[in-house]
Amino acid sequence: VQLQASGGGLVHAGGSLRLSCAASNVNLDYWTVGWFRQVPGKEREGVSCISSSDGRTYYADSVKGRFTMSRDRAKNMMYLQMNSLKPEDTALYSCATDFEERLCNIRKIPEYDYRGQGTQVTVSS
């Protein structure tokens, strides 16, 4: 299983970015998928996920109302639309997937079985 995130960059506060994650050697239809982020010196933080069991999307409180996660089953990809970005959103963002975790748990995303290389998001004030 391979996951590759892309779409990061440098943006001013209030701006938007859309992250993409391409999956290979796995059919994401049956897997819970999610995004997490990491800042050096801090714990990894789950951002959003979509459960394989019920298709519901969950968000961390810190991004609720600003970020939207989606998936494209035909392309086997997932996305994270990030609006109203804040400097505290600056982090390395990675996508992840897990087969056993049928119901999404935000806190568990950084521990999912498969995690891709991240894409850096930097928000300037």
Side-chain angles (χ1 to χ4, degrees), residues 66-87:
R66 301 187 296 120
F67 291 11
T68 302
M69 182 176 177
S70 60
R71 64 193 304 171
D72 186 325
R73 294 181 183 276
K75 295 182 178 179
N76 209 32
M77 293 188 66
M78 66 180 97
Y79 305 94
L80 186 67
Q81 177 66 43
M82 305 186 296
N83 298 328
S84 302
L85 283 161
K86 303 175 180 179

PDB file of all heavy atoms in Angstrom, residues 66-87:
ATOM      1  N   ARG A  66     -13.879  24.709   8.853  1.00  0.00           N
ATOM      2  CA  ARG A  66     -12.913  25.301   7.919  1.00  0.00           C
ATOM      3  C   ARG A  66     -12.377  24.281   6.912  1.00  0.00           C
ATOM      4  O   ARG A  66     -12.073  24.629   5.777  1.00  0.00           O
ATOM      5  CB  ARG A  66     -11.742  25.896   8.698  1.00  0.00           C
ATOM      6  CG  ARG A  66     -12.131  26.970   9.679  1.00  0.00           C
ATOM      7  CD  ARG A  66     -10.909  27.644  10.296  1.00  0.00           C
ATOM      8  NE  ARG A  66     -10.103  26.726  11.088  1.00  0.00           N
ATOM      9  CZ  ARG A  66      -8.820  26.446  10.832  1.00  0.00           C
ATOM     10  NH1 ARG A  66      -8.202  27.009   9.812  1.00  0.00           N
ATOM     11  NH2 ARG A  66      -8.150  25.603  11.611  1.00  0.00           N
ATOM     12  N   PHE A  67     -12.231  23.055   7.342  1.00  0.00           N
ATOM     13  CA  PHE A  67     -11.699  21.995   6.483  1.00  0.00           C
ATOM     14  C   PHE A  67     -12.816  21.056   6.047  1.00  0.00           C
ATOM     15  O   PHE A  67     -13.760  20.799   6.802  1.00  0.00           O
ATOM     16  CB  PHE A  67     -10.644  21.177   7.221  1.00  0.00           C
ATOM     17  CG  PHE A  67      -9.354  21.888   7.516  1.00  0.00           C
ATOM     18  CD1 PHE A  67      -9.214  23.253   7.351  1.00  0.00           C
ATOM     19  CD2 PHE A  67      -8.246  21.163   7.974  1.00  0.00           C
ATOM     20  CE1 PHE A  67      -8.021  23.904   7.626  1.00  0.00           C
ATOM     21  CE2 PHE A  67      -7.045  21.794   8.254  1.00  0.00           C
ATOM     22  CZ  PHE A  67      -6.942  23.168   8.091  1.00  0.00           C
ATOM     23  N   THR A  68     -12.676  20.540   4.829  1.00  0.00           N
ATOM     24  CA  THR A  68     -13.625  19.561   4.317  1.00  0.00           C
ATOM     25  C   THR A  68     -12.862  18.409   3.683  1.00  0.00           C
ATOM     26  O   THR A  68     -12.050  18.620   2.779  1.00  0.00           O
ATOM     27  CB  THR A  68     -14.551  20.182   3.261  1.00  0.00           C
ATOM     28  OG1 THR A  68     -15.250  21.290   3.825  1.00  0.00           O
ATOM     29  CG2 THR A  68     -15.568  19.143   2.772  1.00  0.00           C
ATOM     30  N   MET A  69     -13.141  17.210   4.172  1.00  0.00           N
ATOM     31  CA  MET A  69     -12.500  16.031   3.606  1.00  0.00           C
ATOM     32  C   MET A  69     -13.468  15.329   2.659  1.00  0.00           C
ATOM     33  O   MET A  69     -14.677  15.270   2.921  1.00  0.00           O
ATOM     34  CB  MET A  69     -12.078  15.063   4.699  1.00  0.00           C
ATOM     35  CG  MET A  69     -11.359  13.836   4.168  1.00  0.00           C
ATOM     36  SD  MET A  69     -10.765  12.759   5.462  1.00  0.00           S
ATOM     37  CE  MET A  69     -10.067  11.430   4.475  1.00  0.00           C
ATOM     38  N   SER A  70     -12.912  14.806   1.570  1.00  0.00           N
ATOM     39  CA  SER A  70     -13.738  14.079   0.618  1.00  0.00           C
ATOM     40  C   SER A  70     -12.912  12.953   0.003  1.00  0.00           C
ATOM     41  O   SER A  70     -11.706  12.868   0.212  1.00  0.00           O
ATOM     42  CB  SER A  70     -14.256  15.015  -0.477  1.00  0.00           C
ATOM     43  OG  SER A  70     -13.181  15.592  -1.181  1.00  0.00           O
ATOM     44  N   ARG A  71     -13.596  12.109  -0.725  1.00  0.00           N
ATOM     45  CA  ARG A  71     -12.904  11.025  -1.411  1.00  0.00           C
ATOM     46  C   ARG A  71     -13.525  10.839  -2.790  1.00  0.00           C
ATOM     47  O   ARG A  71     -14.702  11.123  -2.994  1.00  0.00           O
ATOM     48  CB  ARG A  71     -12.985   9.724  -0.597  1.00  0.00           C
ATOM     49  CG  ARG A  71     -14.392   9.186  -0.433  1.00  0.00           C
ATOM     50  CD  ARG A  71     -14.467   8.100   0.624  1.00  0.00           C
ATOM     51  NE  ARG A  71     -13.575   6.990   0.376  1.00  0.00           N
ATOM     52  CZ  ARG A  71     -13.329   5.998   1.244  1.00  0.00           C
ATOM     53  NH1 ARG A  71     -13.921   6.012   2.418  1.00  0.00           N
ATOM     54  NH2 ARG A  71     -12.512   5.035   0.957  1.00  0.00           N
ATOM     55  N   ASP A  72     -12.704  10.380  -3.716  1.00  0.00           N
ATOM     56  CA  ASP A  72     -13.157  10.070  -5.060  1.00  0.00           C
ATOM     57  C   ASP A  72     -12.913   8.584  -5.276  1.00  0.00           C
ATOM     58  O   ASP A  72     -11.775   8.162  -5.479  1.00  0.00           O
ATOM     59  CB  ASP A  72     -12.399  10.907  -6.091  1.00  0.00           C
ATOM     60  CG  ASP A  72     -12.924  10.732  -7.505  1.00  0.00           C
ATOM     61  OD1 ASP A  72     -13.346   9.612  -7.852  1.00  0.00           O
ATOM     62  OD2 ASP A  72     -12.898  11.709  -8.271  1.00  0.00           O
ATOM     63  N   ARG A  73     -13.977   7.824  -5.211  1.00  0.00           N
ATOM     64  CA  ARG A  73     -13.829   6.363  -5.300  1.00  0.00           C
ATOM     65  C   ARG A  73     -13.315   5.935  -6.668  1.00  0.00           C
ATOM     66  O   ARG A  73     -12.498   5.017  -6.776  1.00  0.00           O
ATOM     67  CB  ARG A  73     -15.159   5.692  -4.994  1.00  0.00           C
ATOM     68  CG  ARG A  73     -15.628   5.886  -3.562  1.00  0.00           C
ATOM     69  CD  ARG A  73     -16.943   5.189  -3.295  1.00  0.00           C
ATOM     70  NE  ARG A  73     -17.422   5.426  -1.944  1.00  0.00           N
ATOM     71  CZ  ARG A  73     -17.037   4.737  -0.888  1.00  0.00           C
ATOM     72  NH1 ARG A  73     -16.158   3.756  -1.031  1.00  0.00           N
ATOM     73  NH2 ARG A  73     -17.529   5.019   0.309  1.00  0.00           N
ATOM     74  N   ALA A  74     -13.762   6.623  -7.687  1.00  0.00           N
ATOM     75  CA  ALA A  74     -13.341   6.239  -9.042  1.00  0.00           C
ATOM     76  C   ALA A  74     -11.846   6.438  -9.241  1.00  0.00           C
ATOM     77  O   ALA A  74     -11.191   5.650  -9.930  1.00  0.00           O
ATOM     78  CB  ALA A  74     -14.121   7.046 -10.075  1.00  0.00           C
ATOM     79  N   LYS A  75     -11.310   7.482  -8.642  1.00  0.00           N
ATOM     80  CA  LYS A  75      -9.881   7.775  -8.796  1.00  0.00           C
ATOM     81  C   LYS A  75      -9.041   7.185  -7.668  1.00  0.00           C
ATOM     82  O   LYS A  75      -7.816   7.302  -7.691  1.00  0.00           O
ATOM     83  CB  LYS A  75      -9.664   9.285  -8.857  1.00  0.00           C
ATOM     84  CG  LYS A  75     -10.290   9.947 -10.074  1.00  0.00           C
ATOM     85  CD  LYS A  75     -10.003  11.432 -10.090  1.00  0.00           C
ATOM     86  CE  LYS A  75     -10.581  12.092 -11.325  1.00  0.00           C
ATOM     87  NZ  LYS A  75     -10.326  13.550 -11.356  1.00  0.00           N
ATOM     88  N   ASN A  76      -9.719   6.614  -6.662  1.00  0.00           N
ATOM     89  CA  ASN A  76      -9.001   6.054  -5.515  1.00  0.00           C
ATOM     90  C   ASN A  76      -8.152   7.111  -4.826  1.00  0.00           C
ATOM     91  O   ASN A  76      -6.979   6.880  -4.510  1.00  0.00           O
ATOM     92  CB  ASN A  76      -8.129   4.861  -5.955  1.00  0.00           C
ATOM     93  CG  ASN A  76      -7.928   3.838  -4.859  1.00  0.00           C
ATOM     94  OD1 ASN A  76      -8.800   3.629  -4.015  1.00  0.00           O
ATOM     95  ND2 ASN A  76      -6.776   3.204  -4.865  1.00  0.00           N
ATOM     96  N   MET A  77      -8.770   8.251  -4.595  1.00  0.00           N
ATOM     97  CA  MET A  77      -8.047   9.364  -3.993  1.00  0.00           C
ATOM     98  C   MET A  77      -8.867   9.973  -2.865  1.00  0.00           C
ATOM     99  O   MET A  77     -10.080   9.785  -2.778  1.00  0.00           O
ATOM    100  CB  MET A  77      -7.750  10.438  -5.045  1.00  0.00           C
ATOM    101  CG  MET A  77      -6.772   9.990  -6.105  1.00  0.00           C
ATOM    102  SD  MET A  77      -6.246  11.309  -7.213  1.00  0.00           S
ATOM    103  CE  MET A  77      -5.318  12.368  -6.093  1.00  0.00           C
ATOM    104  N   MET A  78      -8.192  10.714  -2.007  1.00  0.00           N
ATOM    105  CA  MET A  78      -8.858  11.485  -0.966  1.00  0.00           C
ATOM    106  C   MET A  78      -8.331  12.904  -1.008  1.00  0.00           C
ATOM    107  O   MET A  78      -7.221  13.144  -1.501  1.00  0.00           O
ATOM    108  CB  MET A  78      -8.654  10.847   0.410  1.00  0.00           C
ATOM    109  CG  MET A  78      -7.232  10.868   0.908  1.00  0.00           C
ATOM    110  SD  MET A  78      -7.071  10.090   2.527  1.00  0.00           S
ATOM    111  CE  MET A  78      -6.537   8.441   2.039  1.00  0.00           C
ATOM    112  N   TYR A  79      -9.118  13.825  -0.481  1.00  0.00           N
ATOM    113  CA  TYR A  79      -8.778  15.233  -0.540  1.00  0.00           C
ATOM    114  C   TYR A  79      -9.051  15.908   0.799  1.00  0.00           C
ATOM    115  O   TYR A  79      -9.862  15.439   1.596  1.00  0.00           O
ATOM    116  CB  TYR A  79      -9.617  15.933  -1.621  1.00  0.00           C
ATOM    117  CG  TYR A  79      -9.512  15.291  -2.986  1.00  0.00           C
ATOM    118  CD1 TYR A  79     -10.445  14.342  -3.403  1.00  0.00           C
ATOM    119  CD2 TYR A  79      -8.466  15.613  -3.842  1.00  0.00           C
ATOM    120  CE1 TYR A  79     -10.348  13.744  -4.645  1.00  0.00           C
ATOM    121  CE2 TYR A  79      -8.362  15.009  -5.091  1.00  0.00           C
ATOM    122  CZ  TYR A  79      -9.307  14.077  -5.487  1.00  0.00           C
ATOM    123  OH  TYR A  79      -9.198  13.482  -6.716  1.00  0.00           O
ATOM    124  N   LEU A  80      -8.364  17.031   0.999  1.00  0.00           N
ATOM    125  CA  LEU A  80      -8.623  17.866   2.160  1.00  0.00           C
ATOM    126  C   LEU A  80      -8.649  19.314   1.690  1.00  0.00           C
ATOM    127  O   LEU A  80      -7.607  19.871   1.358  1.00  0.00           O
ATOM    128  CB  LEU A  80      -7.555  17.666   3.242  1.00  0.00           C
ATOM    129  CG  LEU A  80      -7.824  18.386   4.557  1.00  0.00           C
ATOM    130  CD1 LEU A  80      -9.041  17.777   5.256  1.00  0.00           C
ATOM    131  CD2 LEU A  80      -6.600  18.302   5.470  1.00  0.00           C
ATOM    132  N   GLN A  81      -9.839  19.879   1.648  1.00  0.00           N
ATOM    133  CA  GLN A  81      -9.993  21.277   1.300  1.00  0.00           C
ATOM    134  C   GLN A  81      -9.856  22.093   2.572  1.00  0.00           C
ATOM    135  O   GLN A  81     -10.626  21.899   3.523  1.00  0.00           O
ATOM    136  CB  GLN A  81     -11.365  21.523   0.657  1.00  0.00           C
ATOM    137  CG  GLN A  81     -11.636  22.973   0.321  1.00  0.00           C
ATOM    138  CD  GLN A  81     -10.731  23.509  -0.768  1.00  0.00           C
ATOM    139  OE1 GLN A  81     -10.489  22.850  -1.768  1.00  0.00           O
ATOM    140  NE2 GLN A  81     -10.220  24.725  -0.574  1.00  0.00           N
ATOM    141  N   MET A  82      -8.883  23.001   2.573  1.00  0.00           N
ATOM    142  CA  MET A  82      -8.602  23.788   3.771  1.00  0.00           C
ATOM    143  C   MET A  82      -8.868  25.247   3.472  1.00  0.00           C
ATOM    144  O   MET A  82      -8.184  25.845   2.619  1.00  0.00           O
ATOM    145  CB  MET A  82      -7.148  23.582   4.194  1.00  0.00           C
ATOM    146  CG  MET A  82      -6.785  22.116   4.394  1.00  0.00           C
ATOM    147  SD  MET A  82      -5.114  21.882   5.049  1.00  0.00           S
ATOM    148  CE  MET A  82      -4.141  22.551   3.719  1.00  0.00           C
ATOM    149  N   ASN A  83      -9.840  25.825   4.152  1.00  0.00           N
ATOM    150  CA  ASN A  83     -10.192  27.224   3.987  1.00  0.00           C
ATOM    151  C   ASN A  83      -9.919  27.991   5.273  1.00  0.00           C
ATOM    152  O   ASN A  83      -9.750  27.393   6.336  1.00  0.00           O
ATOM    153  CB  ASN A  83     -11.670  27.352   3.609  1.00  0.00           C
ATOM    154  CG  ASN A  83     -12.013  26.680   2.302  1.00  0.00           C
ATOM    155  OD1 ASN A  83     -11.188  26.624   1.379  1.00  0.00           O
ATOM    156  ND2 ASN A  83     -13.231  26.172   2.197  1.00  0.00           N
ATOM    157  N   SER A  84      -9.898  29.294   5.157  1.00  0.00           N
ATOM    158  CA  SER A  84      -9.687  30.168   6.324  1.00  0.00           C
ATOM    159  C   SER A  84      -8.481  29.704   7.133  1.00  0.00           C
ATOM    160  O   SER A  84      -8.539  29.582   8.362  1.00  0.00           O
ATOM    161  CB  SER A  84     -10.941  30.191   7.209  1.00  0.00           C
ATOM    162  OG  SER A  84     -12.058  30.636   6.481  1.00  0.00           O
ATOM    163  N   LEU A  85      -7.402  29.452   6.450  1.00  0.00           N
ATOM    164  CA  LEU A  85      -6.212  28.920   7.107  1.00  0.00           C
ATOM    165  C   LEU A  85      -5.630  29.898   8.098  1.00  0.00           C
ATOM    166  O   LEU A  85      -5.674  31.120   7.908  1.00  0.00           O
ATOM    167  CB  LEU A  85      -5.171  28.535   6.066  1.00  0.00           C
ATOM    168  CG  LEU A  85      -5.456  27.208   5.341  1.00  0.00           C
ATOM    169  CD1 LEU A  85      -4.671  27.115   4.045  1.00  0.00           C
ATOM    170  CD2 LEU A  85      -5.128  26.037   6.254  1.00  0.00           C
ATOM    171  N   LYS A  86      -5.086  29.329   9.172  1.00  0.00           N
ATOM    172  CA  LYS A  86      -4.497  30.113  10.241  1.00  0.00           C
ATOM    173  C   LYS A  86      -3.023  29.726  10.383  1.00  0.00           C
ATOM    174  O   LYS A  86      -2.645  28.601  10.031  1.00  0.00           O
ATOM    175  CB  LYS A  86      -5.211  29.817  11.560  1.00  0.00           C
ATOM    176  CG  LYS A  86      -6.709  30.054  11.534  1.00  0.00           C
ATOM    177  CD  LYS A  86      -7.343  29.626  12.849  1.00  0.00           C
ATOM    178  CE  LYS A  86      -8.848  29.841  12.846  1.00  0.00           C
ATOM    179  NZ  LYS A  86      -9.469  29.408  14.136  1.00  0.00           N
ATOM    180  N   PRO A  87      -2.203  30.599  10.944  1.00  0.00           N
ATOM    181  CA  PRO A  87      -0.788  30.246  11.149  1.00  0.00           C
ATOM    182  C   PRO A  87      -0.625  28.952  11.953  1.00  0.00           C
ATOM    183  O   PRO A  87       0.315  28.191  11.707  1.00  0.00           O
ATOM    184  CB  PRO A  87      -0.239  31.457  11.900  1.00  0.00           C
ATOM    185  CG  PRO A  87      -1.080  32.590  11.409  1.00  0.00           C
ATOM    186  CD  PRO A  87      -2.462  32.009  11.259  1.00  0.00           C
TER     187      PRO A  87
END
